[in-house]
Amino acid sequence: MIYHMRSPYTKAKVAYISVWALVAILILFIWVRDKSSTPSSLISTLLALAIGFFTSRLLENLISSTETTRNLGYLHMELDPEKFIASYSPVPQKTRKGKDRMISYAYLSSGYEAKGDFQKALETLEEGEIGGSDSLDTLYLSSKCRYLLEGGKIEEAKAVLKALEERIEKIQDNEKLKDNQKQVAYILSERIEVEEGGKGDEEYLEGRLKCSQYKIGRLEILSAMALHYRNAGKRDKEKEMLNRIIKEGGKTWYTAWAEKRLKA
C-alpha cells in the first residue's frame, strides 16, 4: 500500500482497509471492462489510487481524532481516570514512533496522575521519551515537575522547575507558547511555595481560576488556594476551597485529598 497505517485504533484500521479494498475492486473493474491496457484505463487506475490514498488517510485521521477525543473526555469531562486508563492504555504502544506517540504517552501519564498514582505517571512519562521541540520539551518538564511535586518529592520538583524555566527562555519565534509555559511554570512555583508552608499569590491564583478552561486545571489551582489559605490562617476560606474540590473533583485524587484535609 502507498500509505502505512498510523492509527492505533481498530475502527480506523478497519476503515483504512475497507477503503483500499473498494479501490482494489474498482481497479479490477476498470481493467476487466477495458480488457487491455489503454491510456484511459491507466488514467482511471491512477485516479482511483489517488482517491484511495486521500480518502483512507482522511477517514483514518478523522476516526482516530474522534476516538482520542472520546477517551480524553473520560478524563477531562467525566473526571474518571480509571475509565480513561482502561480505554486508552493500549494506545501509546500501538502508535507509530514520533510526535503522536510521545503525546499519547503524555496523555496516559496524566491519567495516572489524575488517579493519584504519581510514580506510574512518572514511569509512563519517561517511557514516552518525550522531547525534541519547544512544545514537547516543556510538556515533558512541566509534567515531570507536577508528578514529582504531587508525589511529595519537592526538592526534585524544584530542580525540574528550574530546568523548565531555563528551557522556556530558549523558546524563540513562538511567543504564545512561551507565554503559556511561563504561566504553567508560575503555577508550579506557587504550588511548591504553598506546599512548603508559604503563602501564594492569592490575586494571581484567583485570576487563573476564573479563566481556567479545564476541570483538572481548576482542581490544581483550587488545591493550591486551599493550602495558601491554610498557611495564611484563613480556615474558613480553606474549607471553602476544599468543599469546592470535593464537589468538582469527580473520581480524581483531588477529591480524596480534600476530604482528608477537611477532616484534619
Side-chain angles (χ1 to χ4, degrees), residues 46 51 108:
L46 291 173
I51 292 173
L108 183 57

Side-chain angles (χ1 to χ4, degrees), residues 86-149:
S87 179
Y88 194 76
S89 57
V91 171
Q93 289 185 343
K94 294 180 180 180
T95 304
R96 286 181 67 185
K97 289 185 178 180
K99 182 178 179 181
D100 288 345
R101 187 172 189 176
M102 293 177 189
I103 291 174
S104 69
Y105 271 105
Y107 285 155
L108 183 57
S109 72
S110 68
Y112 287 115
E113 177 211 6
K115 181 184 176 183
D117 192 343
F118 307 121
Q119 183 58 40
K120 183 64 174 179
L122 280 166
E123 292 171 1
T124 304
L125 186 71
E126 295 295 346
E127 189 176 355
E129 299 180 343
I130 301 167
S133 69
D134 291 337
S135 59
L136 291 172
D137 288 347
T138 51
L139 171 63
Y140 167 76
L141 290 169
S142 62
S143 298
K144 185 173 183 177
C145 178
R146 186 177 298 108
Y147 304 162
L148 288 167
L149 172 61

Side-chain angles (χ1 to χ4, degrees), residues 18-247:
S18 298
V19 168
W20 280 106
L22 290 172
V23 169
I25 293 171
L26 178 59
I27 292 173
L28 179 62
F29 172 78
I30 291 170
W31 286 90
V32 169
R33 181 198 61 187
D34 292 348
K35 297 182 179 179
S36 62
S37 178
T38 64
S40 63
S41 62
L42 290 172
I43 292 173
S44 297
T45 298
L46 291 173
L47 182 60
L49 289 170
I51 292 173
F53 174 81
F54 290 110
T55 303
S56 61
R57 184 166 187 171
L58 177 63
L59 194 57
E60 183 187 5
N61 288 340
L62 180 62
I63 294 174
S64 295
S65 178
T66 300
E67 288 295 298
T68 298
T69 300
R70 178 178 62 83
N71 282 319
L72 289 174
Y74 298 149
L75 180 61
H76 292 285
M77 301 304 295
E78 297 181 23
L79 295 177
D80 190 340
E82 290 192 1
K83 186 176 181 181
F84 167 74
I85 292 167
S87 179
Y88 194 76
S89 57
V91 171
Q93 289 185 343
K94 294 180 180 180
T95 304
R96 286 181 67 185
K97 289 185 178 180
K99 182 178 179 181
D100 288 345
R101 187 172 189 176
M102 293 177 189
I103 291 174
S104 69
Y105 271 105
Y107 285 155
L108 183 57
S109 72
S110 68
Y112 287 115
E113 177 211 6
K115 181 184 176 183
D117 192 343
F118 307 121
Q119 183 58 40
K120 183 64 174 179
L122 280 166
E123 292 171 1
T124 304
L125 186 71
E126 295 295 346
E127 189 176 355
E129 299 180 343
I130 301 167
S133 69
D134 291 337
S135 59
L136 291 172
D137 288 347
T138 51
L139 171 63
Y140 167 76
L141 290 169
S142 62
S143 298
K144 185 173 183 177
C145 178
R146 186 177 298 108
Y147 304 162
L148 288 167
L149 172 61
E150 291 166 349
K153 301 177 180 180
I154 296 179
E155 291 305 316
E156 291 181 52
K158 284 182 179 179
V160 176
L161 175 60
K162 182 178 179 181
L164 172 62
E165 291 170 337
E166 291 173 352
R167 183 63 182 84
I168 290 170
E169 291 305 313
K170 295 179 181 178
I171 296 176
Q172 298 178 352
D173 303 323
N174 195 337
E175 288 302 317
K176 184 177 181 180
L177 174 65
K178 191 171 187 176
D179 290 342
N180 177 265
Q181 289 303 312
K182 282 183 176 180
Q183 298 288 343
V184 170
Y186 189 68
I187 291 174
L188 287 169
S189 69
E190 286 293 292
R191 291 187 66 189
I192 290 173
E193 180 70 23
V194 297
E195 282 285 353
E196 292 190 308
K199 297 177 183 179
D201 187 338
E202 185 174 328
E203 183 178 352
Y204 174 81
L205 291 172
E206 287 179 346
R208 293 301 302 175
L209 183 63
K210 290 178 182 178
C211 65
S212 179
Q213 298 178 356
Y214 299 101
K215 291 182 179 181
I216 291 180
R218 288 176 55 82
L219 294 172
E220 180 183 14
I221 297 170
L222 283 169
S223 66
M225 293 180 70
L227 292 178
H228 159 72
Y229 287 127
R230 179 202 64 183
N231 299 340
K234 299 179 181 180
R235 180 60 177 165
D236 289 343
K237 292 292 290 183
E238 179 193 3
K239 288 182 177 179
E240 179 185 338
M241 296 299 107
L242 293 173
N243 280 316
R244 287 182 66 177
I245 292 172
I246 293 169
K247 182 180 179 181

